[in-house]
Amino acid sequence: MRFDAFPYESVAWLYDELAALYSLGRIGRSKLAQLDWIKVGDRVLFAGVGRGLDARVAVRRGANVTAVDLSPSMLERFARGLAREALEAELICGDVADHRPNRAYDVVVANYFLNLFDDARTGEMIRHLGQLVRPGGLLVLADFARPLGGPVARMITNAYYRPVNWIAWALGFCALHPIPDYPRLLEPLHFRIRSERRFPVLFGSNPAFVSIAAERLS
């Protein structure tokens, strides 16, 4: 199964700005919140790294970062950011589904990446990423949060999420799909959720973004 259908080459120059505007900064906050789980010396994979602000912070804090993305322009922007600070990371332009490291990572990060695919491919990709995590290591991800509450919560979340999913699908950037249920996907892969933080967009619990850290048990 291929996972290289959705390169973001055409929007590399403004993707982060659009995300910040749409989420009122919550997308950036949900990514940066995960860095507390990354320690000095950790081997960390960023899947679908994009322009890599969060990955650059991880390098700055002493992590050994490998960053994979389909878009050369995204990686170029990440590389320029590293160069400005005299930082180094391994950059791979390609499909992370083809990534087979010599040894597993301490942390694998997948921020706003798994939501590109339909349900079947999301499940397949999360299994692949899970296999790249060493036992006791972490799979860390940020994404849209599923609604918290009853019918009103679902209505508010769908009103916020569905239009952007339709627009992105129409532009060829992702598949049409519901918000992934990550706890359900992670449990059969022998991951235990260590942290799940919500970042509401306005007031109340919905709509929101979520940052999850899950430990591989075996």
Side-chain angles (χ1 to χ4, degrees), residues 4 47 51 54 58 67 69 102 119 162 166 185:
D4 56 1
R51 284 159 55 176
D54 48 346
D69 204 284
N102 293 328
D119 286 348
R162 285 297 183 185
W166 291 333
L185 290 169

Side-chain angles (χ1 to χ4, degrees), residues 6-215:
F6 305 114
Y8 274 56
E9 185 74 3
S10 62
V11 293
W13 62 281
L14 81 168
Y15 177 78
D16 285 1
E17 290 77 12
L18 288 176
L21 180 64
Y22 171 72
S23 69
L24 301 182
R26 271 50 171 193
I27 286 177
R29 286 175 56 190
S30 66
K31 291 180 180 181
L32 293 177
Q34 302 167 339
L35 295 172
D36 292 341
W37 295 98
I38 297 174
K39 304 185 297 295
V40 174
D42 277 351
R43 297 181 68 252
V44 183
L45 170 68
F46 281 81
V49 68
R51 284 159 55 176
L53 174 60
D54 48 346
R56 179 153 41 104
V57 176
V59 177
R60 191 187 304 148
R61 294 184 179 183
N64 299 310
V65 167
T66 298
V68 181
D69 204 284
L70 284 173
S71 167
S73 293
M74 289 286 197
L75 287 176
E76 181 182 351
R77 284 165 170 77
F78 179 36
R80 289 205 299 262
L82 291 172
R84 283 195 297 270
E85 299 185 49
L87 300 173
E88 294 184 357
E90 180 184 13
L91 277 60
I92 301 173
C93 187
D95 187 349
V96 73
D98 297 328
H99 186 53
R100 300 290 190 277
N102 293 328
R103 60 190 178 99
Y105 291 94
D106 300 301
V107 183
V108 171
V109 181
N111 287 331
Y112 301 94
F113 171 64
L114 292 162
N115 66 8
L116 299 182
F117 313 113
D118 59 28
D119 286 348
R121 292 193 176 198
T122 296
E124 187 69 20
M125 177 57 78
I126 203 168
R127 282 191 290 275
H128 171 63
L129 295 179
Q131 292 168 355
L132 302 182
V133 180
R134 66 167 177 79
L138 295 174
L139 178 58
V140 178
L141 58 93
D143 208 334
F144 288 89
R146 290 169 63 83
L148 191 62
V152 173
R154 290 194 295 273
M155 180 182 67
I156 292 170
T157 297
N158 283 331
Y160 183 75
Y161 168 71
R162 285 297 183 185
V164 75
N165 184 217
W166 291 333
I167 292 168
W169 168 77
L171 294 173
F173 294 141
C174 71
L176 287 175
H177 58 81
I179 297 171
D181 185 348
Y182 289 114
R184 179 184 63 81
L185 290 169
L186 288 166
E187 183 178 0
L189 303 179
H190 305 290
F191 277 84
R192 177 184 63 189
I193 292 180
R194 295 273 303 274
S195 174
E196 187 170 351
R197 291 184 58 187
R198 290 178 72 90
F199 296 83
V201 176
L202 294 171
F203 306 104
S205 300
N206 305 283
F209 297 88
V210 66
S211 177
I212 295 173
E215 179 184 2

